[in-house]
């Protein structure tokens, strides 16, 4: 028990989630340390990369499923990927002013075809497939690449709302109704479940 010398470890996840390696290494150390009886994830993050967020999610879930309690404490911001990594926690605590949610995924691919065309700069060439030379920041994206990117985004969003639904005992459709990239203060998030 904690009163008999056990420790509660605090693992902060702050800022943009771009790399999962350090968080996963620390989580594994806490998981293996028998003196650590529980782990608190202190989240203060606007999110970040889908891959890094998913990798941290998997490690948190593995630790929790291995029998070590994982509790989430949200700081002023736990949105998007910051919320994603929170979902496997047994309990999630948010401050009334916490900004959380933003259950959504997007991609940004800069292209300059319209701006450059105003100056007479255009793109041309011969391709062997519709995917050759893509993404093309000068000529823009081909319809095939746009469709691939959109399908990838929709697949990621479906995965995200599925994970949230499973963690909160809701259906993906219920999560989608409050998702769609919206953000919530801590009190409203609690009312939303």
């Amino acid at each position: 028990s904690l009163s008999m010398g056990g420790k509660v470890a605090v693992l902060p996840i702050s800022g943009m989630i771009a790399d999962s390696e350090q968080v996963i290494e620390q989580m594994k150390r806490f998981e293996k340390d028998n003196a650590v009886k529980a782990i608190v994830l202190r989240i203060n993050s606007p999110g970040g990369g889908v891959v890094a967020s998913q990798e941290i999610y998997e490690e948190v879930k593995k630790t929790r499923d291995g029998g070590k309690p994982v509790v989430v404490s949200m700081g002023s911001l736990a949105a998007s990927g910051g919320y994603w990594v929170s979902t496997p926690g047994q309990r999630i605590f948010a401050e009334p002013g916490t900004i959380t949610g933003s259950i959504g995924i997007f991609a940004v691919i800069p292209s300059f075809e319209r701006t450059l065309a105003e100056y007479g700069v255009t793109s041309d060439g011969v391709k062997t497939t519709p995917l050759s030379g893509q993404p093309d920041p000068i000529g823009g994206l081909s319809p095939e690449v746009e469709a691939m990117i959109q399908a990838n985004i929709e697949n990621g969003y479906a995965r995200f709302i599925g994970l949230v639904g499973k963690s909160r005992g809701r259906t993906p459709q219920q999560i989608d109704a409050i998702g769609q990239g919206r953000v919530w203060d801590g009190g409203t998030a609690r009312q939303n479940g």
Side-chain angles (χ1 to χ4, degrees):
S1 82
L2 295 177
S3 62
M4 298 175 68
K7 298 178 190 174
V8 173
V10 178
L11 177 54
I13 300 177
S14 299
M16 290 294 292
I17 299 173
D19 182 23
S20 60
E21 189 175 330
Q22 289 182 335
V23 173
I24 289 173
E25 285 176 13
Q26 188 63 56
M27 180 68 76
K28 286 180 178 180
R29 279 196 287 275
F30 289 153
E31 183 181 14
K32 292 175 184 172
D33 187 341
N34 291 331
V36 173
K37 301 301 179 189
I39 301 169
V40 174
L41 292 181
R42 179 64 175 168
I43 310 289
N44 194 12
S45 172
V50 172
V51 173
S53 298
Q54 177 64 25
E55 289 170 348
I56 294 170
Y57 167 92
E58 293 293 340
E59 192 61 36
V60 172
K61 184 175 182 306
K62 181 178 145 199
T63 300
R64 182 203 69 199
D65 290 348
K68 193 155 290 194
V70 179
V71 174
V72 174
S73 170
M74 293 180 169
S76 59
L77 183 62
S80 192
Y83 185 80
W84 190 316
V85 301
S86 300
T87 57
Q90 278 108 329
R91 295 286 306 267
I92 298 176
F93 295 92
E95 299 168 15
T98 296
I99 300 299
T100 189
S102 190
I103 301 168
I105 298 177
F106 68 95
V108 175
I109 300 173
S111 66
F112 307 97
E113 69 272 16
R114 291 184 190 144
T115 303
L116 293 174
E118 288 180 16
Y119 293 97
V121 178
T122 60
S123 174
D124 197 359
V126 178
K127 300 178 186 180
T128 56
T129 73
L131 303 180
S132 297
Q134 289 289 317
D136 181 358
I138 296 173
L141 301 176
S142 71
E144 293 83 0
V145 169
E146 285 182 3
M148 284 175 53
I149 293 170
Q150 185 65 40
N152 192 34
I153 295 298
E154 289 175 10
N155 182 57
Y157 180 66
R159 176 147 179 73
F160 195 172
I161 63 174
L163 292 173
V164 173
K166 185 175 181 183
S167 298
R168 305 277 66 89
R170 306 275 176 97
T171 67
Q173 293 77 15
Q174 289 171 311
I175 299 303
D176 184 43
I178 62 170
Q180 300 291 325
R182 294 184 198 98
V183 295
W184 309 99
D185 63 76
T188 306
R190 183 172 187 259
Q191 291 172 359
N192 287 340

